[in-house]
Amino acid sequence: QQQVKQSPQSLIVQKGGIPIINCAYENTAFDYFPWYQQFPGKGPALLIAIRPDVSEKKEGRFTISFNKSAKQFSLHIMDSQPGDSATYFCAASWAGNTPLVFGKGTRLSVIA
Amino acid sequence: NAGVTQTPKFRILKIGQSMTLQCTQDMNHNYMYWYRQDPGMGLKLIYYSVGAGITDKGEVPNGYNVSRSTTEDFPLRLELAAPSQTSVYFCASRSPPPSTDTQYFGPGTRLTVL
């Protein structure tokens, strides 16, 4: 049973575009929703995270939108740059001490 | 601080061989994790530990073993390697709640079993 479903699997956008990556979850007990960024040959690194008490969180060019009733959350990258080309993973956990459950990842390519 | 370090970076094993993937963190994190990453499949949890002497199975523990004798180290043991264990393995750590939920990942070990 896949607890966090991520789409699309891959995405190509022009520089300056706004890629959007979506995730849907099933477990209503989840209370922490991070996004991780991974460059080739490197380990994932935390990009931005949100909790269900807010519907949106911005950090620089990255924004998480959260829809609790729909059990969905998404990552938006404003003014995307070639340096944003990476694989992005959404994840979820609950109770603060349970392991993260990851989506399958989205490979983003930003072309100049 | 070095963060989370993993050795080796690359390894080729023959079917049936055994090996230990090493993971060390210098952040005094109680919680540590082992994941495997296969193309298009995301990160799957193999084992995790909430402190020295305490380990628990994740989603895909078969064919692996772990131990946690110190806070810093969390080695992953592969016994009787199989081609299905060809993957990239990541170790991660974090502080226990209520501190930050951020998991810090190591650079990974790319393992090929032939």
Side-chain angles (χ1 to χ4, degrees):
Chain A
Q1 181 187 9
Q2 186 183 355
Q3 296 196 58
V4 179
K5 294 184 179 181
Q6 183 173 346
S7 63
Q9 192 172 4
S10 63
L11 189 54
I12 301 173
V13 299
Q14 295 274 358
K15 177 183 174 183
I18 306 175
I20 301 173
I21 305 171
N22 300 298
C23 279
Y25 63 96
E26 299 164 2
N27 189 340
T28 55
F30 286 147
D31 63 0
Y32 175 67
F33 303 91
W35 285 90
Y36 278 77
Q37 180 188 54
Q38 183 183 31
F39 293 106
K42 305 292 185 183
L46 179 67
L47 184 64
I48 186 173
I50 197 169
R51 293 196 179 274
D53 53 342
V54 296
S55 60
E56 185 177 278
K57 183 174 181 180
K58 290 184 180 181
E59 287 187 4
R61 295 183 294 108
F62 301 92
T63 299
I64 298 180
S65 297
F66 183 80
N67 186 328
K68 188 173 182 178
S69 60
K71 294 188 288 184
Q72 295 176 347
F73 58 109
S74 60
L75 176 70
H76 301 233
I77 305 176
M78 308 302 289
D79 187 28
S80 59
Q81 301 296 313
D84 296 328
S85 297
T87 299
Y88 293 81
F89 295 96
C90 62
S93 69
W94 73 97
N97 60 356
T98 57
L100 288 170
V101 177
F102 284 87
K104 292 188 175 183
T106 297
R107 178 174 286 185
L108 172 66
S109 297
V110 181
I111 55 177
Chain B
N1 285 351
V4 180
T5 57
Q6 293 182 237
T7 56
K9 291 191 188 316
F10 305 94
R11 182 74 184 267
I12 299 175
L13 281 182
K14 294 182 179 179
I15 295 172
Q17 287 185 320
S18 300
M19 77 164 293
T20 298
L21 282 66
Q22 301 292 344
C23 175
T24 300
Q25 52 90 12
D26 62 359
M27 297 174 282
N28 201 32
H29 287 168
N30 287 51
Y31 287 28
M32 295 187 74
Y33 310 86
W34 274 107
Y35 294 88
R36 59 175 289 170
Q37 182 178 23
D38 301 303
M41 297 302 293
L43 293 146
K44 297 199 172 181
L45 184 67
I46 305 171
Y47 271 97
Y48 67 103
S49 169
V50 299
I54 306 170
T55 62
D56 207 348
K57 296 178 180 179
E59 183 183 357
V60 290
N62 291 345
Y64 307 94
N65 278 301
V66 293
S67 59
R68 184 93 183 272
S69 57
T70 68
T71 299
E72 295 77 20
D73 302 305
F74 190 38
L76 178 70
R77 178 81 177 164
L78 277 72
E79 305 281 1
L80 299 174
S84 61
Q85 293 178 306
T86 293
S87 189
V88 181
Y89 292 85
F90 289 100
C91 178
S93 73
R94 59 159 286 188
S95 295
S99 60
T100 175
D101 294 280
T102 304
Q103 276 188 209
Y104 297 87
F105 283 81
T109 293
R110 183 176 294 274
L111 175 67
T112 302
V113 182
L114 300 174

